[in-house]
Amino acid sequence: MDQTTQHAPYAPLETVRAEIARAAAIAGHDAAEIALVAVSKTHEAPAIRPLLAAGQRVFGENRVQEAAAKWPALREEYAGIALHLVGSLQSNKAEEAAAFFDCIHSLDRPKLVSALARAFDKVGRQVPCFVQVDVGEEPQKGGCPVAELPALLAAARAAEVPVVGLMCVPPAGIEPAPFFAFLDKLAADHGLSGRSMGMSGDFATAIMLGATHVRVGTALFGARG
Ligand SMILES: *Cc1c(COP(=O)(O)O)cnc(C)c1O
């Protein structure tokens, strides 16, 4: 099957796309420029195929191992799939991640900059990265402390690791908008165009505040088991 095949509509995807379009229109942004990353972690191929059949091609996973087990077969069935790593990455898995993923949303420390720089050299491809920022001061979630962001970006530049934007996961249970607005400003201050922010519960808000990439799981796949 390829992109020229007729798409079979899939209601949750249509709903999410309509919400993206609505939020983008309110904010005066072009909906076509907002990437929907369908976060398929924990879901197996039978749950993923309806999205592929409906034309979705960008997917997010949070574990290198799980993604490597389930995506090679789907990549043979459907052309043009892009896989984004949205979960934290251990340095010792940098090479596998560099070979497998098309975008990494979780660059958050100097050690990972050097591991990825080596991995990109070794596998012969440069994978675009978002720097994950710990906007809520929750170190257990990963993310670079705000105060250390300039140094991390400088290290990435020096190592020629391509940084395309900033990413955040705001604290659960409180209003996320101030965190999205903060990430948007941080990205602008550093001259970065990408903002990976917004999940099932808040992607419309994130888009109104400048998201270029929204990472949506539950709203597309239902609750994870
Ligand atoms: C799981 C996950 C998502 C998707 O969350 P939902 O609430 O299911 O949409 C987004 N971003 C990251 C980093 C995740 O781990």
Side-chain angles (χ1 to χ4, degrees), residues 39 41 86 167 169 199-200 215-218 224:
V39 179
K41 65 187 184 197
V86 301
M167 177 274 213
V169 182
M199 318 201 315
S200 289
R215 310 177 311 269
V216 179
T218 308
R224 286 177 289 274

Side-chain angles (χ1 to χ4, degrees), residues 30-66:
D30 183 355
E33 284 176 6
I34 294 162
L36 169 60
V37 181
V39 179
S40 49
K41 65 187 184 197
T42 77
H43 298 290
E44 297 300 325
I48 297 171
R49 276 198 195 92
L51 276 95
L52 285 161
Q56 176 68 26
R57 286 296 179 274
V58 182
F59 291 86
E61 290 283 344
N62 70 337
R63 290 168 192 269
V64 179
Q65 243 68 22
E66 180 188 338

Side-chain angles (χ1 to χ4, degrees), residues 132-146 167-169:
Q132 182 176 349
V133 182
D134 180 11
V135 290
E137 300 188 9
E138 301 174 291
Q140 74 282 5
K141 265 194 186 170
C144 171
V146 174
M167 177 274 213
C168 73
V169 182

Side-chain angles (χ1 to χ4, degrees), residues 64-65 85 87-95 97 109 112 115-116:
V64 179
Q65 243 68 22
L85 179 65
S88 60
L89 177 59
Q90 292 170 276
S91 303
N92 64 5
K93 301 228 173 79
E95 201 178 311
R109 57 198 191 278
L112 194 52
L116 283 172

Side-chain angles (χ1 to χ4, degrees), residues 88-203:
S88 60
L89 177 59
Q90 292 170 276
S91 303
N92 64 5
K93 301 228 173 79
E95 201 178 311
E96 207 178 337
F100 197 78
F101 287 97
D102 304 294
C103 185
I104 294 170
H105 291 239
S106 49
L107 176 56
D108 65 354
R109 57 198 191 278
K111 193 175 170 207
L112 194 52
V113 168
S114 37
L116 283 172
R118 276 195 306 275
F120 293 166
D121 268 353
K122 194 148 176 208
V123 305
R125 65 197 288 260
Q126 302 276 112
V127 180
C129 295
F130 286 85
V131 168
Q132 182 176 349
V133 182
D134 180 11
V135 290
E137 300 188 9
E138 301 174 291
Q140 74 282 5
K141 265 194 186 170
C144 171
V146 174
E148 291 167 25
L149 179 61
L152 187 61
L153 290 172
R157 258 193 310 278
E160 294 180 22
V161 167
V163 172
V164 296
L166 302 181
M167 177 274 213
C168 73
V169 182
I174 59 173
E175 170 56 50
F179 297 98
F180 295 152
F182 178 60
L183 194 80
D184 179 60
K185 180 173 186 306
L186 266 185
D189 288 348
H190 290 283
L192 296 165
S193 60
R195 288 116 170 96
S196 169
M197 57 190 196
M199 318 201 315
S200 289
D202 53 24
F203 66 87

